[in-house]
Amino acid sequence: MKQQFEIAVFDGDGIGPEIMLPTLAILAQMAQVGGYRLDFNTVPAGAAHYAQTGKSLPEASMAAARASDAILLSAMGLPSVRYDDGTEISPQIDLRKALTLFAGVRPVRIFPGQKTPLNMPAGKEVDFVLIRESTEGLFHTQGRGEITKDDARETLLITRDISEKLFRFAFGLAKERKDQGRGQGRVTCVDKANVFRAFAFFREIFDAEAAKHPDLMADHAYVDAAALWFVLKPWDFDVLVTENMFGDILSDLGAGLMGGLGVAPSADIGLDHAVFQPCHGSAPDIAGQGIANPLAMILSGAMMLDWLGLRHDAPQLVADGTRLREAVEAVIAQGKVLTGDLGGQASTQETADAVMAALA
Ligand code: ATP
């Protein structure tokens, strides 16, 4: 059984290094107690690095990411640093494409004690996963859109190859969740198949994969209806799977339901690699003050432990992933040590210390 894991660490821009530092400390402590090794290799990339060197994602950093067992990434990009065409530096998107990380996994959880803008009916909890395709869709021509004086064009691409992998992943996740007692085993394809032929194609491939899983349920929702249900009855969802741009928008809606970006983790997963990163950006408006919420980063670390454990048949890591998620949820539910975005006054370090205490 594998006991030693190489982790490439991108601590990035803005609040990135501030939230990464305590996350690595928590993970290192868990590894020490759990009897496995996490070897962190911090590598440069991002907007500040681009401003200094003209490279946003150096080849050596890319090579380290490729060679690692998993990649931890905080946040990259700064509004003040841009490429010549005016777009922001986003090496995280380059990584997704280069490593074919087609499945963007965005868990949405609302449990008793968690702040949410929803009126939660008594006894209801929200626990679903949105899977955002992360390599094609409307991001296909990202940075290459055509602009003339009179019009502008971007192309949406849906391929059979990536869609098949995406839907196989979605049904696999629904099965895993069902086995853990966390979902009914249902996958919902979110599309716009009533208007666009490309989405009818997407849905057809989804239906073909669904037919291979008679033990699981499958249904469809148009993206506009799905947005409505996010607000009206999110407790009915289990696993949702959708195109890149739809997923980009819905995942921020999901983060909003959870009380904000500061508690929304994510993973971008492919067949051979995975990046674990909070949903939020580099928050330059609060950088350098030690007040950023580290919980989304820590929860992303928990997702990494879970993924590594399942992939390498290492039950200790899976158990630690669950333990870490539950420790974060306990800190949120107690509501005593929270950062400003959650209505508290705690610092980044005090919040991380509270997670460490909850683990102990
Ligand atoms: P990107 O486009 O890179 O995802 P963004 O423009 O959506 O970034 P963020 O950097 O995510 O913006 O910040 C949006 C708002 O949320 C800002 O006001 C920021 O301070 C706040 N925010 C984001 N992450 C955190 C965090 N971890 N803790 C506290 N506040 C945060």
Side-chain angles (χ1 to χ4, degrees), residues 211-223:
K212 296 181 195 159
H213 303 274
D215 52 328
L216 298 170
M217 294 175 278
D219 58 12
H220 315 107
Y222 297 131
V223 64

Side-chain angles (χ1 to χ4, degrees), residues 15 19 76 88 92 252 261-262 279-286 291-294 341:
I15 60 170
I19 56 173
M76 294 202 254
E88 274 193 40
Q92 63 278 27
D252 266 30
L261 284 166
C279 284
H280 60 73
S282 62
D285 54 332
I286 58 164
I291 57 168
N293 188 344
D341 57 314

Side-chain angles (χ1 to χ4, degrees), residues 261-266 277-280 293-301 328:
L261 284 166
V263 291
S266 82
Q277 168 189 21
C279 284
H280 60 73
N293 188 344
L295 296 180
M297 183 75 244
I298 296 171
L299 286 170
S300 304
V328 170

